[in-house]
Amino acid sequence: MRRTRPLLFVLLAVLVAVVGVVVLREPQGVAGTPVAGSSVAPATTTSATSPPVTTTAATTSVPATTTTAPTPAGAPLAGKIKPGEPRQGVATFYDSDGGGACSYDPGPDPLTAAMNESDYEGSAACGAYVLVQAGGKSITVRITNLCPAPCRPGQLDLSAAAFAMLAPPVKGEIPITWTLVSPETSKTIAIRYKTGSSQYWCGIQVLDHRNPVARLEVQAGGQWRQLKRAEYNYFLSENGAGCGGSIAVTDVHGERLVVNALPVRPDAVQATTLQFARAGE
């Protein structure tokens, strides 16, 4: 028995030492419970690549339109034909019915012109109104066609009626100055889907716009997607994205108009109540 007591004392001492170590290593806070005096902000996520989306009021009327919306900054709008910059060139004339490379329907307006290939810029000039001056006279014509070579940069091939208002037709060619203008008009913008358009492929044309169209976007998947412009003046969605969705049209002055979703009706001219403002107003 005398030998047992020292052994018990030794075991008791070791047990006390172990408990002391466990107590000293106890954490200051319990998992899942914040330590007093600390705070954690909730995590947030943002998208740096998603562009702002212009919201529009839902409606079942056709066509449905909205008010203007700001255009995304960054990309240049005007091409070679810039607002407020006079151009020098020559004018010739041809028998024009208002149709041509811009894919507009022939019309009764005799004051039209074909733009030289350099300034046509893949149909960017289509629908532009330009003030043409020569010999103290002036007229305003609408660009509806392309004048290929040998037409030179700066040259306009006017309708026969337009040329006759500036000079006798026997002259054949005259020096001119021309400038992009933003005329008065009672018309409103219209939208036309190209022949063969469907939910899988579509071409979109803007008609009767006061100022040249610089950009067309369609809304697809909650985002705006810019379409490429063909030389025949239709904006193409070759994979069907946005066909039948809302359409945003921006002019060279930066004004952006949003048209609510229209049905995909090939060759049908669908009117809106929208029009670009006159430049400077």
Side-chain angles (χ1 to χ4, degrees):
M1 295 296 293
R2 290 180 181 177
R3 292 183 178 178
T4 305
R5 287 183 178 179
L7 182 58
L8 290 174
F9 284 122
V10 173
L11 293 174
L12 182 60
V14 172
L15 181 60
V16 171
V18 173
V19 173
V21 172
V22 173
V23 171
L24 290 176
R25 290 180 180 177
E26 183 180 358
Q28 298 301 309
V30 180
T33 305
V35 178
S38 68
S39 62
V40 180
T44 59
T45 60
T46 58
S47 172
T49 58
S50 298
V53 176
T54 305
T55 58
T56 58
T59 178
T60 57
S61 62
V62 178
T65 58
T66 68
T67 55
T68 61
T71 182
L77 297 176
K80 292 184 179 180
I81 304 176
K82 294 180 173 59
E85 292 189 7
R87 300 289 301 278
Q88 305 292 327
V90 298
T92 50
F93 66 92
Y94 75 112
D95 291 328
S96 170
D97 62 1
C102 292
S103 301
Y104 296 137
D105 296 330
D109 184 5
L111 302 183
T112 60
M115 181 63 73
N116 67 84
E117 190 168 7
S118 175
D119 295 318
Y120 184 77
E121 284 194 286
S123 78
C126 287
Y129 288 90
V130 294
L131 176 67
V132 186
Q133 297 174 303
K137 299 178 181 180
S138 64
I139 58 170
T140 297
V141 297
R142 179 169 168 259
I143 305 302
T144 62
N145 204 356
L146 166 67
C147 183
C151 275
R152 310 180 295 277
Q155 182 174 349
L156 295 179
D157 203 18
L158 303 175
S159 63
F163 188 95
M165 295 177 69
L166 296 174
V170 293
K171 287 193 172 183
E173 181 178 302
I174 57 174
I176 59 170
T177 299
W178 57 271
T179 311
L180 179 68
V181 292
S182 183
E184 293 185 4
T185 180
S186 59
K187 296 180 179 179
T188 56
I189 286 174
I191 300 294
R192 175 162 58 188
Y193 279 97
K194 194 179 185 307
T195 303
S197 291
S198 69
Q199 60 180 318
Y200 307 107
W201 180 96
C202 66
I204 303 173
Q205 184 183 44
V206 186
L207 302 169
D208 297 328
H209 44 90
R210 185 200 309 269
N211 304 322
V213 172
R215 180 188 298 138
L216 186 142
E217 305 159 86
V218 291
Q219 196 168 41
Q223 296 185 347
W224 288 105
R225 177 174 175 267
Q226 184 174 343
L227 299 186
K228 292 183 179 180
R229 191 175 197 166
E231 291 188 356
Y232 51 86
N233 195 32
Y234 274 86
F235 293 85
L236 305 181
S237 178
E238 296 179 325
N239 62 1
C243 294
S246 297
I247 300 170
V249 186
T250 304
D251 71 4
V252 295
H253 302 284
E255 184 177 8
R256 185 170 183 260
L257 306 176
V258 179
V259 181
N260 283 347
L262 297 172
V264 181
R265 295 175 178 168
D267 300 320
V269 175
Q270 302 188 61
T272 77
T273 59
L274 300 177
Q275 182 58 269
F276 293 121
R278 293 191 69 184
E281 292 185 355

